[in-house]
Amino acid sequence: MNQRRVMLPVMLACGLPVVSQDKPNIIVVYVDDMGYSDPSCYGGDYVPTPNIDRMAEEGIRFTQYYTSCPISSSSRAGITTGMYPTRWGITTFLQDRAGNAANEQNDFLDASAPSMARALKAGGYMTGHFGKWHMGGGRDVKNAPSITRYGFDEYSSTWESPDPDPKLTSSNWIWAPTDEVKRWNRTAYFVDKTLDFLSRNKGKPCFVNLWPDDVHTPWVYENDEASQRESAESFSIVLKELDNQIGRLMQGLKDLGIDDNTMVIFTSDNGPAPAFDGHRTNSLRGQKGTLYEGGIRMPFIVRWPGVIEPGQVNERSVVCAVDLFPSLCTIGGADMPTEYQLDGVDMSSTLLGKEQEVREKPLFWEFGKTKKDRVSPHIAVREGDWKLLVNADGSNVELYDMKNDYNETLNVAAANAGVTARLKQMAIEWFDEAYRQYADHIIRVSANGNENSNGESWTDATTLQHAVEIAPQYPSAQIWMKEGVYNVTASVNIDNVAMYGGFDGTEEHLSERDWKNNPVVIDGGGKVSPLRNVELEKTVGTVLDGIIVQNGMSGAADNGNGNGGGAILTSGAKVINCIFRNNRTSDGKNGAALHCHRGNVTIENSLFVNNTSSGNGGAVQVGGGVTAKIVNCTLVNNQSSGPGGALGTGDNGSNISIYNSVIWHNIGGNGIYSSYGQNSGKDGGGKIVSMNSAVESDSRKFEDGDDVRHVVLSETVTPGLLNPAPVVGYAGDGMTADDWNVYSYSLSEQSLCVDAGNAGLASDMEFDLDMQRRLSGRQIDMGCYEYDNGEPSEISQVIHVAVD
């Protein structure tokens, strides 16, 4: 293959005079998806890797180096921050917003997290990042911070970044044949960028991330056959070209006259995929995406001529990617950040080959908590020669002796009960403390907040409008709302905003709030629809939790065709622990409380009362092609001009799954009590499923054979509510909080809805809408209120039904 590539003029400048500097240049070569034994010097036999091998011969090769996670984005966050990536909510590879939410992770690494580049820059270094980023940006994530905010002076990156190099991204995908710099030339391009950066900053210490996206699949080379892009032959060609470019880098350092003052580290982000039956891991168990050694043990080489004695092999020291931050700060004479306690330890003497330090501090990993096809347990700890894997619930305990069985062939947990018990407890306690520890950025608001503040404390609370404006700057912002009435005069854009009510202004943790005793009311004044998703064709991370939305009124000019009196939501939005009351639509529009516009919307543990639609859906309208999941909700006293007094659907592509819910005393357009209907009739719509729910409706949708434990309500067969309001629909504009509090939609002791739900359908609800414990009797109750009849029975039998 052609080795020349896109050579820059600086490469011709051989023998330039060396400008002295006190600090060494530092280059971290972080390749992609490399197996432990891909390089020849680690036993690889696919193709010779003479340049990587020469680095090892001229420096030090480690055999017990670990990445911080067996997947791309997380491992990159670990080496960048010096902290376990799970603390920052980066738990797997970053993808689109919906995929990130499904994996309980942020959309990008918080720019306020510690950054090795930022620390070195503060210590006098020029900093550059050239290559893959994958810590935010790409797909539908458009608000990821610039790479410069992490401390880099210059950068050039691929599609999975906030500002990809146009020469690498001719299409909206990771690579394309039409890219100006072809896939097989990318590593050369990044090497050229690195050498150019070093040449322009001679005499200054430089820190460079050189992060190729080789040897990640697909293995593309010039004039290849697309059908062979995951074959061993294609892998060998790409590996050989990567090695060629490592050779060009090392020769370039010599040509620039800076080789003797440059420390180069070579390693990978995670293990291989495919692993070719362990051939790429030297028979280490597992591969990329597992916490077995094949997924987390990496090749690791450090070279610094004249400082590191050549030809060393360190088989003793256990080193991790999180150690590089404190170690390189020591080597580069930079101060460590003080805002957070790093997980890594200073192993600078070991990296320089001055000693072979024995690690005293244990190492931890987490990967796969939400992964359905999990291969290994999702937590691991290594302490000394012991490595234990376990799930957070204590299941699937595996213990291995790393000294005698680093291939993890024999689980010795039973034979070492004391070690197993101690490490199991250690691992689970670490996970409980670390999981998403710093992932959420809190913005505190109050009804009389300061619009010029950023809500960093309760004493410096900001306004709701300012909070939703600044929230997109952060990867996982949470808006905490203090008790009060928030009167809005214009709709609030809630795209990718997580709003939590129930605070009294003293709380430090989300779990301390009480939405019952600290009510947060967002009031539209009978003139505006208070809360609206704006970018309706996109998937959002919107969360409304612990909020009362009242007196909303949608207008014809509102987006979504004017639907949604209280709110309009789009795919990915969630409503939890909320009350929607006294909301309306005008001009024949649908969904007095909520209009679900697109995709999938979830509504849990919420109350809908006294909402009136001038179209269909007295409480909730589910638009065409939308699927809404309604769990443990109560919908009572709503009214519509269309067939659906409580729930309406747009067309035959509109679907509703109703779980553990009570829907009663809602008046449809024909003047009778009927809770459901499609725009043109009571029997239309898509798939309408009721499981363990009690519904008053004359629609045949609840008689078509796909309902489970469905209870038919009527005006005589009632849910037995304690004290529902006598009025149906809009209750008037003079209703005060005291007026609303007169009425109760809790269940009476004789209610047929008590113990009639199914806990297996109820998500992870801990409290009902009155802040009572869920599942307080033999079984969870229907609706948003749990009748308190004591602690859960020991003989309680939970009915589990499969749910999509």
Side-chain angles (χ1 to χ4, degrees):
M1 294 186 63
N2 185 350
Q3 186 177 339
R4 186 181 63 84
R5 304 297 180 239
V6 191
M7 297 289 289
L8 298 174
V10 65
M11 294 298 298
L12 304 178
C14 301
L16 291 177
V18 178
V19 180
S20 62
Q21 61 187 52
D22 295 330
K23 304 172 183 287
N25 301 309
I26 301 171
I27 304 174
V28 177
V29 182
Y30 206 57
V31 298
D32 202 353
D33 285 12
M34 175 166 274
Y36 178 77
S37 60
D38 283 349
S40 305
C41 57
Y42 280 87
D45 59 5
Y46 283 98
V47 66
T49 54
N51 295 298
I52 297 173
D53 297 351
R54 188 174 301 112
M55 282 188 64
E57 293 167 2
E58 295 175 350
I60 181 170
R61 177 170 64 88
F62 291 78
T63 65
Q64 293 198 79
Y65 167 85
Y66 290 97
T67 183
S68 59
C69 195
I71 205 77
S72 177
S73 301
S74 305
S75 73
R76 294 165 193 273
I79 195 172
T80 296
T81 64
M83 300 176 70
Y84 297 124
T86 194
R87 297 192 192 276
W88 290 97
I90 309 296
T91 59
T92 185
F93 71 96
L94 287 170
Q95 48 198 281
D96 59 25
R97 291 184 181 277
N100 292 336
N103 286 287
E104 300 177 4
Q105 72 170 347
N106 292 0
D107 289 327
F108 49 84
L109 177 65
D110 194 328
S112 66
S115 166
M116 179 159 55
R118 189 186 301 120
L120 290 170
K121 179 178 172 64
Y125 275 76
M126 298 298 295
T127 55
H129 177 94
F130 307 111
K132 183 174 179 176
W133 179 250
H134 210 181
M135 290 186 285
R139 297 174 176 85
D140 61 349
V141 177
K142 307 300 183 184
N143 60 329
S146 169
I147 293 174
T148 57
R149 290 189 59 193
Y150 299 86
F152 290 98
D153 294 306
E154 295 183 20
Y155 64 91
S156 171
S157 191
T158 60
W159 181 73
E160 291 172 312
S161 70
D163 185 20
D165 189 325
K167 292 186 177 181
L168 307 173
T169 50
S170 61
S171 68
N172 189 27
W173 188 235
I174 298 168
W175 74 284
T178 52
D179 292 342
E180 181 178 342
V181 176
K182 306 304 181 185
R183 172 77 181 232
W184 54 87
N185 277 338
R186 279 191 179 184
T187 301
Y189 184 72
F190 293 135
V191 168
D192 287 343
K193 288 282 187 181
T194 297
L195 293 172
D196 175 56
F197 178 80
L198 293 168
S199 74
R200 288 185 285 104
N201 291 286
K202 287 188 66 173
K204 305 173 186 176
C206 293
F207 169 75
V208 176
N209 277 347
L210 172 55
W211 289 8
D213 46 10
D214 290 330
V215 287
H216 194 296
T217 56
W219 294 313
V220 182
Y221 56 90
E222 196 168 4
N223 300 320
D224 69 348
E225 296 182 22
S227 62
Q228 301 298 312
R229 284 178 176 164
E230 293 201 10
S231 68
E233 292 77 13
S234 295
F235 166 70
S236 298
I237 294 171
V238 171
L239 176 60
K240 181 178 180 180
E241 176 60 14
L242 172 67
D243 184 75
N244 288 341
Q245 296 308 320
I246 297 301
R248 287 188 59 235
L249 172 69
M250 305 314 294
Q251 183 59 48
L253 298 177
K254 293 181 175 68
D255 293 343
L256 287 171
I258 60 174
D259 186 47
D260 288 345
N261 199 35
T262 301
M263 179 183 186
V264 181
I265 296 172
F266 177 91
T267 189
S268 177
D269 61 345
N270 49 253
F276 296 141
D277 296 323
H279 199 75
R280 293 182 61 194
T281 63
N282 200 24
S283 298
L284 294 175
R285 183 178 179 180
Q287 62 174 50
K288 175 181 180 178
T290 78
L291 292 180
Y292 296 121
E293 294 292 285
I296 57 176
R297 192 185 288 213
M298 299 291 103
F300 187 76
I301 299 168
V302 187
R303 176 189 181 273
W304 184 1
V307 176
I308 296 177
E309 184 178 344
Q312 295 185 66
V313 179
N314 186 330
E315 298 179 332
R316 183 184 184 193
S317 300
V318 176
V319 183
C320 183
V322 295
D323 300 331
L324 294 188
F325 193 149
S327 302
L328 295 183
C329 281
T330 295
I331 291 169
D335 292 333
M336 294 282 292
T338 58
E339 297 90 342
Y340 299 95
Q341 179 65 47
L342 302 193
D343 292 305
V345 297
D346 182 358
M347 301 193 75
S348 52
S349 294
T350 297
L351 296 188
L352 297 177
K354 306 306 180 185
E355 61 176 307
Q356 293 195 356
E357 183 178 353
V358 176
R359 186 182 202 90
E360 296 181 359
K361 188 177 181 180
L363 285 174
F364 296 95
W365 297 265
E366 189 280 323
F367 174 75
K369 176 180 181 288
T370 60
K371 193 172 174 62
K372 294 181 179 179
D373 56 347
R374 189 189 305 157
V375 174
S376 64
H378 74 93
I379 308 170
V381 57
R382 174 155 182 189
E383 183 185 54
D385 290 330
W386 294 112
K387 179 183 174 186
L388 179 134
L389 299 94
V390 65
N391 290 322
D393 61 5
S395 64
N396 295 357
V397 181
E398 301 176 19
L399 180 69
Y400 299 101
D401 179 354
M402 287 289 103
K403 183 176 182 180
N404 299 304
D405 183 28
Y406 54 79
N407 287 329
E408 297 168 299
T409 61
L410 181 62
N411 180 1
V412 295
N416 298 273
V419 173
T420 298
R422 181 175 60 82
L423 293 183
K424 175 182 174 181
Q425 180 180 1
M426 180 190 298
I428 294 175
E429 287 180 352
W430 167 81
F431 174 76
D432 289 343
E433 177 255 347
Y435 191 72
R436 294 190 58 81
Q437 183 179 12
Y438 304 116
D440 300 312
H441 183 90
I442 311 303
I443 305 172
R444 296 160 183 85
V445 305
S446 67
N448 58 352
N450 180 356
E451 65 180 5
N452 296 315
S453 74
N454 289 333
E456 296 180 359
S457 67
W458 285 117
T459 57
D460 194 31
T462 188
T463 63
L464 175 59
Q465 183 59 46
H466 186 56
V468 299
E469 290 171 356
I470 63 176
Q473 301 176 21
Y474 305 100
S476 188
Q478 293 184 355
I479 296 175
W480 288 9
M481 302 184 69
K482 186 178 178 180
E483 173 187 3
V485 178
Y486 296 74
N487 296 300
V488 296
T489 57
S491 298
V492 177
N493 178 2
I494 53 173
D495 288 353
N496 301 306
V497 170
M499 298 169 56
Y500 296 89
F503 297 91
D504 68 9
T506 62
E507 297 86 352
E508 295 182 359
H509 303 285
L510 188 64
S511 59
E512 297 172 347
R513 67 190 175 123
D514 183 339
W515 55 77
K516 170 66 174 179
N517 293 310
N518 303 313
V520 168
V521 179
I522 302 179
D523 195 309
K527 297 180 180 180
V528 301
S529 173
L531 305 172
R532 302 186 74 82
N533 283 137
V534 174
E535 296 190 75
L536 294 176
E537 300 309 312
K538 295 184 178 180
T539 298
V540 298
T542 300
V543 176
L544 304 178
D545 189 334
I547 294 168
I548 299 171
V549 181
Q550 68 181 32
N551 299 329
M553 170 69 86
S554 61
D558 287 332
N559 68 327
N561 198 31
N563 295 310
I568 188 168
L569 302 175
T570 192
S571 187
K574 295 181 179 179
V575 174
I576 311 169
N577 309 318
C578 288
I579 297 175
F580 284 78
R581 63 194 185 199
N582 232 38
N583 299 287
R584 294 174 291 166
T585 63
S586 61
D587 303 316
K589 302 305 180 183
N590 306 311
L594 290 177
H595 177 70
C596 304
H597 180 80
R598 175 183 172 273
N600 296 277
V601 176
T602 301
I603 307 166
E604 296 183 352
N605 210 48
S606 295
L607 173 68
F608 295 80
V609 291
N610 295 107
N611 302 287
T612 295
S613 171
S614 61
N616 198 22
V620 179
Q621 174 78 1
V622 180
V626 181
T627 296
K629 184 167 72 171
I630 298 175
V631 186
N632 278 96
C633 291
T634 300
L635 297 85
V636 177
N637 288 347
N638 302 286
Q639 186 173 12
S640 69
S641 298
L647 300 174
T649 51
D651 58 26
N652 291 340
S654 307
N655 311 295
I656 307 177
S657 296
I658 306 166
Y659 304 142
N660 298 341
S661 293
V662 176
I663 308 177
W664 178 72
H665 209 66
N666 303 285
I667 297 180
N670 52 10
I672 67 171
Y673 291 101
S674 182
S675 297
Y676 168 78
Q678 193 261 341
N679 283 349
S680 58
K682 65 181 181 179
D683 298 320
K687 188 173 184 179
I688 311 299
V689 175
S690 169
M691 293 185 178
N692 294 79
S693 293
V695 182
E696 180 181 24
S697 178
D698 60 348
S699 171
R700 290 198 300 270
K701 283 294 184 179
F702 299 99
E703 301 173 355
D704 55 5
D706 57 4
D707 302 304
V708 177
R709 297 179 181 266
H710 172 72
V711 177
V712 178
L713 297 178
S714 67
E715 290 305 294
T716 55
V717 180
T718 77
L721 304 178
L722 280 182
N723 184 31
V727 63
V728 176
Y730 182 64
D733 58 7
M735 294 289 288
T736 66
D738 289 340
D739 294 331
W740 287 114
N741 290 336
V742 167
Y743 306 110
S744 171
Y745 299 88
S746 297
L747 303 175
S748 63
E749 184 175 4
Q750 295 78 27
S751 171
L752 54 79
C753 299
V754 172
D755 289 341
N758 177 357
L761 301 173
S763 187
D764 297 320
M765 297 179 199
E766 186 176 4
F767 300 100
D768 75 350
L769 204 53
D770 262 346
M771 293 298 297
Q772 291 189 118
R773 290 283 179 182
R774 275 293 187 186
L775 197 59
S776 63
R778 293 169 302 183
Q779 181 56 269
I780 196 170
D781 297 345
M782 294 179 181
C784 58
Y785 297 105
E786 187 84 1
Y787 176 76
D788 186 6
N789 54 357
E791 293 299 317
S793 169
E794 293 182 1
I795 61 172
S796 174
Q797 295 182 349
V798 177
I799 305 168
H800 291 284
V801 178
V803 183
D804 292 337

